[in-house]
Amino acid sequence: MKPLGLNEIREKFLSFFESKGHLRMQSSSLVPQGDASLLLINSGMAPLKPYFSGEAPPPQGNRRATTCQKCIRTPDIERVGKTSRHGTFFEMLGNFSFGDYFKSEACKWAWEFCTEIMELPIDKLYVTVYAGEGDGLAGFPDEQAYDIWANEVGVDPSHLSRLGKEDNFWEIGAGPCGPCSEIYFDRGPDPKCVDPDNCKPGCDCDRYVEFWNLVFTQFNNDGSNNYTKLNQNNIDTGMGLERMACIMQGVDSLFDVDTIMNITKRVSAITGAKYGQSESVDVSLRVITDHIRSTTMMISDGILPSNEGRGYVLRRLLRRAARHGKLLGTDKPFLFEVCETVINESKAAYPELDEKKAHIIRVIKAEEERFAATIDAGMKILLDLRRT
Ligand code: SER
């Protein structure tokens, strides 16, 4: 297995699925179009929902598509910087079937990509299938997937296991959903594991890292967990690009991935703070690195800082990054310079970054200046209070 850059992995994935007859589509905007249930796009399938339900005809008449989708998830924002895995921005690679191929091809191609294109060692790969849980249509175990992995793909049964709804049934509120299979990479025993003798995929420790989720989208959830069968069987897979990059580059943390580390290096060069200097400096460097990735992408998709909705998410991320800059001892706006590195690292995949470069820089600088003015005004009030 050769070390591969994040940009190379993205390209290898998309061209692999093109070779399997998939239409390569650009990432959709982070701003959901015609979907009021989401503030920001949070998975590869989110912009494609109408194709799964059959409401919209397949894109350019093609029932197979592959994308690398920009995604933002903020529920774990407080953990960003403190762990090796949490980030608010990530890229999700996916191959999709809109009523075309189903489980058998999805499993075989995922395995082929892992073992022949990425050249991951088979003895490090583990697969889970849905064990079934509860009543009704969504309660049945996925024996079909188990059989495909064991007998068609040839995964050793000791590397195959069954997990319940929390791990192996994919849904976000209302909409297309279904049982899933996940592929894990074994990083070797984790000294922090609380039950090393029984450690297996699904364990909370860092030994088995899940990097690819294959969803067999066959049901619709009406939003109250009432499931009906969709008119067509679909495939929605999501492979975390940063996670695969960690595996291919032999690093534990997403912040050590090549393109992401280049952003941290730029922050270090501007602020003088060295990565590895102390835990608190590392946390600040990682928060800035993550947040400047998300905010640069959000602004390139037309979001502006404001006090509500998406604009508020953007403002909060920018101000958190600016505050961590202050913790590193930087008094002047600096994020507007760091965003150039984000643009350079990712513009090949997202040309809108380069097209909107001047606008992105302007928006970030203005928000940094506004934030600095707010802090100065607050400090003045505090000092005046002390004098009275
Ligand atoms: N929708 C699934 C996920 O986000 C697979 O793409 O994990």
Side-chain angles (χ1 to χ4, degrees), residues 375-388:
I375 291 197
D376 288 349
M379 289 304 288
K380 185 171 177 313
I381 292 169
L382 279 178
L383 287 173
D384 288 350
L385 277 176
R386 267 204 212 147
R387 285 195 202 103
T388 52

Side-chain angles (χ1 to χ4, degrees), residues 42-46 73 90 92-96 170-172 180 182 210 212-215 217 236-239:
N42 58 5
S43 63
M45 68 82 75
R73 288 185 191 171
F90 60 95
M92 193 172 266
L93 288 157
N95 57 290
F96 307 98
W170 198 86
E171 58 193 337
I172 291 191
C180 57
E182 295 190 311
E210 179 253 311
W212 201 342
N213 187 9
L214 280 57
V215 185
T217 315
D236 151 31
T237 89
M239 193 182 91

Side-chain angles (χ1 to χ4, degrees), residues 146-216:
Y146 191 97
D147 182 61
I148 291 168
W149 285 115
N151 300 318
E152 292 185 34
V153 180
V155 175
D156 189 298
S158 69
H159 283 225
L160 255 178
S161 56
R162 295 178 166 91
L163 290 173
K165 206 166 179 191
E166 196 181 322
D167 293 281
N168 279 87
F169 193 92
W170 198 86
E171 58 193 337
I172 291 191
C177 60
C180 57
S181 263
E182 295 190 311
I183 310 180
Y184 289 73
F185 184 79
D186 179 6
R187 300 164 67 215
D190 176 358
K192 290 197 224 94
C193 183
V194 290
D195 191 4
D197 293 337
N198 295 307
C199 184
K200 56 179 193 303
C203 178
D204 277 341
C205 82
D206 282 339
R207 174 165 185 165
Y208 296 97
V209 54
E210 179 253 311
F211 64 91
W212 201 342
N213 187 9
L214 280 57
V215 185
F216 312 125

Side-chain angles (χ1 to χ4, degrees), residues 45 52 95 97 101-108 110 127-130 141-146 148-149 168-170 176-183 212-220 229-230 232-238:
M45 68 82 75
F52 291 111
N95 57 290
S97 155
Y101 64 88
F102 200 38
K103 297 181 189 181
S104 183
E105 291 87 341
C107 298
K108 283 187 206 151
V127 176
T128 59
V129 300
Y130 181 46
D142 194 352
E143 292 309 332
Q144 191 190 5
Y146 191 97
I148 291 168
W149 285 115
N168 279 87
F169 193 92
W170 198 86
C177 60
C180 57
S181 263
E182 295 190 311
I183 310 180
W212 201 342
N213 187 9
L214 280 57
V215 185
F216 312 125
T217 315
Q218 54 199 101
F219 303 123
N220 188 63
K229 236 180 131 3
L230 287 169
Q232 57 188 45
N233 284 329
N234 309 284
I235 289 296
D236 151 31
T237 89

